[in-house]
Amino acid sequence: MGDMRAASATAGDSGAPVILGNEPGSFARGVLAERHPALIQQVRDAFPYGPRQHRALDVLLDEITHGVVEPLDAAAPDHGIWQAWGREHFGRSWFDAPFLWAESYFYRRLLAAIEYFDEGPWQGIDPFAPFKLAELNGSAVDDELRSLDRLVDAPADERATALLHASLWGNRADLGFRVAADEPMGEADPGLVADDSALLWSLLPVGAPATVSVVADNAGRELIPDLVLIDHLLRRGRAERAVLHVKPGPYYVSDATTADVVDSLRRLVRAPGAAGGIGRRLWEAMEAGRLEVRAHAFFCAPLPYEEMPEDLREEWGAGALTILKGDLNYRRLVGDRLWDPTTPFADRTAYFPGPVAALRTLKSDVVVGLEPQTLSALDASGGAWRTSGTHALIQARGRGGS
């Protein structure tokens, strides 16, 4: 884990409260009280685990619903680092811990319960693999891959916009790759609450010897558009090299691991038409070193990116752009707090060592960088726009906060 520091429930004098899970009716409480118990049952049903794992899952379920946060077993190889990260939270209700920490620790405890890290037959068996593979092999992916054929002759700007939006929206099925015959690709997306696309593209001029990092979020139908976007950047000369950052192990159910990248590449390679060509180019790019996959331990830590280790700071400081995908990465980027939504994105990411962009569908309470009139319209709509997945944002910051 390197020099990763312990998470803190405070952030100086920011004044923005840390999101906890103890607010009745809140999104965070719903995740802890409903989603996590349901997930334990889903994992239990997905594999023929033995009595020992079933007992451990029962203990975890009782603890998260009625008990207090317990530490990892002392024999766990990462016991010490989690003791440091959780010293303020052990012995307290799960609902009183910071939401980001509680979510992350839940997944670590779930893996312990099913003996993912222990020597034995279940070591390294991804408990979420059946869910990820079912989505990846579904017919909806076939339809989305076929839609790439319509982009072959599209103008360069429209193709770039379509692929960026596909990566942004991920698995929102009604959009797919946004290249349906009856949908003009150049029109503004009404679901975007912030759009720094122009700045993002300006940070990646064609022909520059750029290295671009993409920090992945989910596997399956969200990872494939990310890979397609990476192929576009490499093929069109907006990047000379790309680094795809994934989780070192199963996390947050659908988060991408190296195995998921390989599964997605194979899915692309097997596809006919443009999708198959993309898959083969990416496969060759990995073999040549133009596309590298990294799985840093920090991506499974309950820490904000402000506490990133030095090797990531150096890598991202030297790169042309780091693109962070998804909701969890956004929470870690700006801080999992109830910020004033008009807080400038550049202010919240001023610590980041290089240019950074966020592609995020809104699925939690955290948001910054909105214009006051946009915020007023969203609040007046009466909908749960922060958590429903119906709105998204593209936010970017160049060097020096530009």
Side-chain angles (χ1 to χ4, degrees), residues 100 217 247 251-252 255 326-333:
L100 179 66
D217 184 33
K247 303 297 189 299
Y251 199 57
Y252 278 69
D255 283 19
D327 201 77
L328 176 60
N329 279 323
Y330 189 85
R331 291 163 59 194
R332 297 182 71 187
L333 176 65

Side-chain angles (χ1 to χ4, degrees), residues 67-389:
V68 298
V69 182
E70 300 288 351
L72 287 177
D73 187 280
D78 53 350
H79 170 80
I81 192 70
W82 275 104
Q83 282 296 110
W85 289 337
R87 60 176 178 260
E88 300 174 17
H89 316 309
F90 294 127
R92 301 167 59 190
S93 167
W94 282 76
F95 298 97
D96 292 334
F99 181 40
L100 179 66
W101 187 92
E103 273 199 293
S104 187
Y105 188 55
F106 166 77
Y107 284 98
R108 177 59 185 88
R109 289 286 306 281
L110 181 62
L111 293 177
I114 53 98
E115 302 179 5
Y116 176 85
F117 294 106
D118 300 343
E119 287 191 17
W122 295 100
Q123 185 177 41
I125 302 298
D126 184 347
F128 312 127
F131 317 133
K132 292 187 281 190
L133 289 173
E135 181 185 86
L136 181 64
N137 294 322
S139 60
V141 173
D142 291 326
D143 294 339
E144 290 170 346
L145 294 181
R146 281 193 294 269
S147 71
L148 288 168
D149 293 336
R150 303 174 193 160
L151 276 179
V152 172
D153 298 321
D157 289 348
E158 290 191 9
R159 180 170 56 246
T161 297
L163 296 181
L164 183 65
H165 282 212
S167 181
L168 167 67
W169 286 107
N171 66 354
R172 211 179 105 174
D174 60 326
L175 289 175
F177 280 97
R178 297 192 56 79
V179 291
D182 59 351
E183 181 176 0
M185 289 182 286
E187 289 191 358
D189 188 330
L192 278 178
V193 299
D195 187 3
D196 292 340
S197 300
L199 174 57
L200 185 154
W201 291 122
S202 75
L203 296 170
L204 298 174
V206 174
T211 294
V212 176
S213 291
V214 177
V215 184
D217 184 33
N218 291 338
R221 290 180 66 192
E222 294 193 34
L223 182 58
I224 283 181
D226 296 343
L227 291 168
V228 173
L229 178 62
I230 289 172
D231 172 71
H232 175 79
L233 298 178
L234 292 172
R235 193 181 188 202
R236 301 302 170 184
R238 289 188 179 272
E240 186 175 55
R241 178 174 174 269
V243 181
L244 178 62
H245 294 270
V246 297
K247 303 297 189 299
Y251 199 57
Y252 278 69
V253 185
S254 56
D255 283 19
T257 65
T258 302
D260 298 317
V261 174
V262 175
D263 287 340
S264 293
L265 284 176
R266 286 174 173 154
R267 185 77 158 93
L268 282 166
V269 168
R270 293 197 307 265
I278 291 169
R280 289 186 289 274
R281 286 195 298 270
L282 288 170
W283 195 284
E284 293 167 0
M286 288 189 68
E287 293 180 330
R290 296 182 64 223
L291 171 58
E292 178 186 353
V293 178
R294 286 195 68 192
H296 199 292
F298 181 72
F299 294 115
C300 286
L303 306 178
Y305 281 115
E306 201 160 3
E307 299 186 43
M308 72 180 73
E310 191 58 32
D311 58 342
L312 284 178
R313 185 171 294 278
E314 291 178 0
E315 176 182 338
W316 290 342
L321 180 65
T322 299
I323 300 173
L324 298 171
K325 281 294 312 297
D327 201 77
L328 176 60
N329 279 323
Y330 189 85
R331 291 163 59 194
R332 297 182 71 187
L333 176 65
V334 304
D336 203 35
R337 293 170 169 267
L338 293 174
W339 302 105
D340 180 335
T342 63
T343 302
F345 178 77
D347 289 356
R348 288 304 318 134
T349 59
Y351 70 88
F352 205 86
V356 62
L359 305 183
R360 178 232 184 172
T361 303
L362 277 63
K363 297 177 183 176
S364 68
D365 289 315
V366 179
V367 66
V368 299
L370 301 189
E371 296 294 334
Q373 61 270 28
T374 299
L375 177 62
S376 296
L378 289 167
D379 285 341
S381 70
W385 60 270
R386 291 174 182 252
T387 59
S388 63

